[in-house]
Amino acid sequence: DTGVSQDPRHKITKRGQNVTFRCDPISEHNRLYWYRQTLGQGPEFLTYFQNEAQLEKSRLLSDRFSAERPKGSFSTLEIQRTEQGDSAMYLCASSLFWQGGKNSPLHFGNGTRLTVT
Amino acid sequence: AQKITQTQPGMFVQEKEAVTLDCTYDTSDPSYGLFWYKQPSSGEMIFLIYQGSYDQQNATEGRYSLNFQKARKSANLVISASQLGDSAMYFCAMREPGGDTNAGKSTFGDGTTLTVKP
């Protein structure tokens, strides 16, 4: 278990630029989640993959956000035309399939901190 | 929709004493999971303890225990014998059951910042 890794750890970009983040989940986990966390708040769900299929996307997510998991392994999150309001910590998590009644917590990466100037 | 409420933005506890962090939840699903995570200043979210909605007994993991009161929809975290390293942000989360139509995603509260005093 090498853990969930995210790259980069920090990203500073100018408003209007595009950014892309990468997440490598725990290899045997088929579920991958992206969350966004702003200071003083809990993580907010963005989107979710089961293997390579993106099965749910938050209604809060604008069309500027897109995520992929092309081979069911690593995932990328792209933000186009960044805005200052996009500044946040972007967390990736992976887990096993959970049907309820089973202990299958989320395993989080260290996150990518995005600052839009 | 699922909702998690943590009403204590900040808590202080003396080293070696016990502390309770409150969490209430709201859901219409009969099957769900309740989790607590710890987030130190370094930023990594660490899983602490789990309670299933059908579990009859309160969960325990070392110094952590979960006071689960289903009728009141509360799932409070109890940390016994607090240590300086327990100073962190603590999040309560509820996970919906996964399946063909459900993501099994987790909804988080806004957290409680715990400070352990020496």
Side-chain angles (χ1 to χ4, degrees):
Chain A
D1 183 349
T2 56
V4 178
S5 63
Q6 292 187 247
D7 184 69
R9 291 294 306 273
H10 304 275
K11 178 71 177 178
I12 300 173
T13 190
K14 292 185 177 180
R15 188 178 56 180
Q17 298 294 306
N18 298 345
V19 294
T20 300
F21 310 141
R22 177 180 170 122
C23 171
D24 287 88
I26 293 171
S27 57
E28 60 265 30
H29 287 178
N30 60 347
R31 294 201 160 198
L32 186 148
Y33 302 83
W34 285 98
Y35 283 83
R36 177 171 61 191
Q37 186 179 23
T38 53
L39 198 62
Q41 297 197 329
E44 173 188 35
F45 171 77
L46 294 179
T47 190
Y48 141 80
F49 291 85
Q50 180 165 301
N51 300 315
E52 67 276 8
Q54 186 177 18
L55 296 186
E56 187 171 341
K57 189 174 175 181
S58 169
R59 287 170 290 178
L60 302 173
L61 212 57
S62 79
D63 292 340
R64 298 184 295 105
F65 288 71
S66 62
E68 292 183 342
R69 194 181 181 195
K71 296 182 180 178
S73 56
F74 73 92
S75 175
T76 59
L77 177 69
E78 181 184 16
I79 309 174
Q80 297 182 327
R81 304 181 304 281
T82 51
E83 302 172 356
Q84 287 187 323
D86 297 332
S87 295
M89 176 76 86
Y90 290 83
L91 297 168
C92 176
S94 69
S95 80
L96 296 169
F97 180 71
W98 190 73
Q99 287 184 295
K102 291 183 180 179
N103 178 357
S104 184
L106 297 177
H107 296 257
F108 284 87
N110 286 327
T112 294
R113 183 169 295 284
L114 173 66
T115 302
V116 182
T117 61
Chain B
Q2 299 185 333
K3 184 175 173 60
I4 294 285
T5 302
Q6 294 181 255
T7 58
Q8 306 156 312
M11 290 282 287
F12 291 89
V13 65
Q14 209 66 35
E15 194 178 8
K16 299 181 185 177
E17 293 187 348
V19 63
T20 298
L21 306 183
D22 294 341
C23 172
T24 58
Y25 61 92
D26 190 23
T27 182
S28 56
D29 290 317
S31 176
Y32 50 88
L34 295 160
F35 297 78
W36 277 90
Y37 294 86
K38 173 185 179 181
Q39 189 176 41
S41 56
S42 57
E44 184 183 359
M45 294 280 275
I46 303 165
F47 163 68
L48 295 177
I49 195 168
Y50 160 82
Q51 180 85 42
S53 59
Y54 294 119
D55 292 345
Q56 296 296 312
Q57 292 191 327
N58 288 341
T60 60
E61 287 287 346
R63 294 187 299 112
Y64 305 108
S65 61
L66 203 152
N67 183 0
F68 180 47
Q69 298 186 45
K70 194 170 182 177
R72 296 181 60 186
K73 294 190 174 180
S74 74
N76 298 339
L77 176 70
V78 180
I79 305 174
S80 63
S82 296
Q83 302 171 356
L84 295 178
D86 293 335
S87 293
M89 192 92 164
Y90 289 80
F91 291 98
C92 179
M94 179 166 53
R95 189 164 189 187
E96 63 185 29
D100 291 341
T101 57
N102 284 342
K105 67 179 182 286
S106 295
T107 301
F108 288 78
D110 282 337
T112 295
T113 301
L114 177 66
T115 304
V116 180
K117 295 181 173 180

